[in-house]
């Protein structure tokens, strides 16, 4: 006696099993996020130090919450409204995670980027010189106070202020015992502005600082970039070494922005630290001295200022036009139809939408070129990915129009009047934006 073939499980049973699997995956993702988050005391201020772990936390959180939304909304082809809400939920989660990364990167206030070894007290400077084998050299305490700082182009920064040195009694006070090798306008030190004798028989000489320094700034994260402006100083006299004049300042705290004029106008930049650091510079030459070696190094003193761009204005300046274009391209999906009556009502044709996509592509390309001119960067900066994403989205919409109105189509594109393309549009845009942001800032 033959057994009847087994029938497939009812749809309700299959749906129940899928919900159990989704709930289990969501719990696993939340557990992974919790494990990765352990040890990150302040994710907003420690984004760059724990980039990989924060990327895992955000990715698992977004996926886990997306699964929770799927469990609650139960999206199915038979429920287009639930599908729409699920699409909006995924888009909102990716957008919120992206904005969180923006805020975390902008709030990062570490000393990363300061050259050499950062020192905050005279004891630390003395210890560095001892470890470097220069403790026997004559130390010349040197201090600076920056009044203005202005970017003149992508790689030049104009500084004004004061520079002073405490020199031994009888030393030449007419010429500064310091050189700024990165200055593009001579030594970078102007006229002498003060001279007085100290109680310890040393003399403090101050000069006006007016110089343009040329540095290689990194605009990879523009408009959420952080730059470090450093004034590198070399001693002019052989056998001497420059050290910070910490006695001229209150106890040094990098976050207090010491060495900067309190009324300094920073414009679109926010100062988040100042620091003295000590290091070495290799010149690769003897400067014509017979007793020197080309491999010898020059003791360098750096005064660094960490600045963060106030990103809201340039970000909105770039994003608002792109958001408008993104909305217009999304609206074009609603006029795509194969219904003859609706075509005549909307004035739709395949070439009309293709022409519109081409016009939007041209507008995006012009703005992209403007961004490249603004930054002057030789590589790809973060803001450029906005344009790359829009290039791809416009190309996909153009392909969707051609595919949907052709005689041979993909089945899912024909479902419910091209609804699949409209449901996928914003998740594709926001997922690409989130993935790009994670890759640029956290990985």
């Amino acid at each position: 006696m033959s057994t009847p073939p087994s029938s497939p499980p009812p749809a309700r049973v299959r749906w129940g099993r899928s919900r159990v699997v989704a709930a289990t995956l969501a719990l696993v993702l939340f557990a992974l996020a919790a494990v990765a988050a352990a040890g990150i005391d302040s994710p907003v201020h420690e984004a760059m130090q724990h980039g990989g772990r924060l990327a895992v936390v955000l990715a698992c959180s977004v996926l886990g919450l997306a699964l929770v939304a799927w469990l609650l909304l139960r999206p199915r082809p038979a429920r287009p409204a639930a599908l729409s809400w699920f699409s909006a939920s995924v888009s909102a989660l990716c957008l919120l995670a992206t904005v969180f990364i923006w805020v975390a990167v902008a709030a990062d206030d570490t000393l990363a980027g300061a050259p050499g070894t950062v020192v905050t007290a005279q004891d630390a400077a003395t210890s560095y010189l001892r470890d470097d084998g220069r403790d026997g050299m004559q130390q010349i305490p040197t201090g600076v106070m920056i009044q203005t700082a202005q970017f003149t182009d992508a790689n030049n920064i104009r500084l004004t202020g004061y520079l002073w040195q405490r020199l031994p009694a009888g030393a030449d006070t007419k010429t500064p015992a310091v050189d700024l090798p990165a200055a593009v306008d001579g030594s970078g030190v102007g006229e002498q502005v003060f001279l007085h004798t100290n109680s310890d028989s040393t003399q403090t000489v101050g000069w006006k600082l007016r110089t343009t320094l040329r540095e290689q700034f990194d605009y990879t994260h523009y408009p959420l970039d952080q730059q470090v402006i450093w004034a590198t100083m070399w001693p002019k006299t052989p056998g001497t070494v420059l050290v910070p004049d910490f006695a001229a300042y209150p106890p040094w705290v990098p976050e207090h922005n010491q060495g900067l004029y309190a009324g300094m106008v920073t414009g679109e930049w926010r100062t988040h630290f100042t620091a003295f650091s000590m290091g070495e510079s290799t010149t690769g030459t003897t400067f014509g001295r017979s007793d020197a070696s080309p491999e010898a190094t020059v003791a360098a003193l750096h005064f660094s200022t960490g600045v963060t761009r106030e990103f809201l204005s340039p970000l909105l300046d770039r994003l608002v036009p792109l958001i408008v274009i993104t909305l217009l391209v999304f609206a074009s999906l609603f006029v795509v139809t194969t219904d003859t009556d609706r075509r005549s009502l909307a004035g739709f044709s395949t070439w009309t939408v293709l022409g519109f996509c081409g016009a939007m592509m041209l507008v995006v390309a012009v703005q992209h070129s403007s961004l490249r001119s603004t930054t002057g960067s030789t590589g790809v900066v973060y803001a450029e990915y906005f344009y790359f994403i829009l290039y791809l989205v416009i190309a996909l919409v153009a392909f969707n129009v051609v595919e949907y109105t052709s005689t041979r189509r993909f089945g899912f594109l024909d479902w419910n009047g091209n609804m699949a393309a409209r449901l996928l549009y914003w998740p594709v845009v926001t997922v690409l934006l989130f993935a790009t942001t994670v890759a640029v800032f956290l990985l």
Side-chain angles (χ1 to χ4, degrees), residues 11-367:
R12 182 173 298 178
V13 174
R14 293 196 302 270
W15 178 250
R17 290 175 180 172
S18 62
R19 294 182 68 184
V20 171
V21 172
T24 304
L25 286 176
L27 291 175
V28 171
L29 288 170
F30 289 143
L32 288 175
V35 171
I40 304 179
D41 298 327
S42 176
V44 172
H45 293 278
E46 299 181 8
M48 308 307 287
Q49 298 96 304
H50 304 283
R53 295 171 63 184
L54 189 58
V56 173
V57 171
L58 291 174
C60 291
S61 299
V62 168
L63 287 174
L65 291 173
L67 286 173
V68 171
W70 184 80
L71 290 170
L72 295 175
L73 296 171
R74 293 183 293 175
R76 284 175 290 177
R79 303 177 61 193
L83 284 172
S84 299
W85 281 108
F86 179 68
S87 173
S89 300
V90 172
S91 303
L93 288 171
C94 291
L95 186 59
L96 288 174
T98 301
V99 172
F100 175 84
I101 296 175
W102 291 349
V103 174
V105 170
D108 190 277
D109 54 3
T110 61
L111 299 181
T117 302
V118 175
V119 292
T120 58
Q122 181 60 46
D123 292 343
T126 303
S127 176
Y128 174 84
L129 292 176
R130 185 186 309 113
D131 296 340
D132 199 42
R134 302 180 191 268
D135 53 329
M137 303 176 71
Q138 180 184 359
Q139 299 181 18
I140 301 179
T142 304
V144 296
M145 197 273 282
I146 305 298
Q147 291 178 300
T148 66
Q150 179 184 12
F151 284 90
T152 57
D153 60 29
N155 293 299
N156 284 357
I157 180 77
R158 177 73 177 172
L159 300 179
T160 65
Y162 296 93
L163 183 148
W164 66 89
Q165 294 183 295
R166 284 196 288 120
L167 302 174
D172 180 18
T173 60
K174 298 184 181 299
T175 304
V178 61
D179 183 37
L180 278 71
V184 298
D185 46 7
S187 66
V189 182
E191 70 276 8
Q192 184 181 125
V193 291
F194 60 84
L195 169 64
H196 59 81
T197 303
N198 302 315
S199 59
D200 58 355
S201 300
T202 61
Q203 48 190 344
T204 300
V205 190
W207 293 272
K208 189 66 178 176
L209 181 65
R210 293 191 186 95
T211 183
T212 298
L213 301 179
R214 186 159 184 85
E215 300 178 21
Q216 184 65 46
F217 295 110
D218 183 10
Y219 294 98
T220 303
H221 292 168
Y222 177 88
L224 290 91
D225 51 325
Q226 297 181 349
Q227 307 295 347
V228 177
I229 305 165
W230 64 78
T232 299
M233 295 169 278
W234 290 354
K236 275 189 175 180
T237 307
T240 63
V241 61
L242 303 181
V243 296
D245 187 13
F246 286 117
Y249 304 96
W252 195 274
V253 179
E255 292 77 14
H256 289 179
N257 297 331
Q258 290 153 298
L260 299 182
Y261 173 52
M264 181 176 176
V265 178
T266 57
E268 65 175 345
W269 297 93
R270 173 177 58 85
T271 305
H272 61 90
F273 79 83
T274 55
F276 278 107
S277 56
M278 304 179 70
E280 296 178 342
S281 298
T282 303
T283 60
T285 179
T286 64
F287 294 101
R289 294 175 52 191
S290 58
D291 59 342
S293 168
E295 288 77 25
T297 58
V298 177
L301 175 65
H302 311 278
F303 178 75
S304 303
T305 304
V307 294
T308 301
R309 192 187 299 271
E310 297 287 1
F311 71 93
L312 188 59
S313 177
L315 189 64
L316 291 178
D317 183 48
R318 297 293 172 184
L319 274 183
V320 169
L322 296 184
I323 291 174
V324 172
I325 294 173
T326 307
L327 289 171
L328 291 174
V329 174
F330 177 63
S332 69
L333 291 173
F334 288 86
V335 301
V336 177
T337 179
T338 56
D339 187 280
T340 307
D341 296 334
R342 289 184 59 192
R343 273 193 187 186
S344 59
L345 181 64
F348 163 79
S349 70
T350 302
W351 286 110
T352 301
V353 178
L354 289 179
F356 169 76
C357 290
M360 292 298 99
M361 192 79 79
L362 180 60
V363 173
V364 174
V366 170
Q367 292 201 14

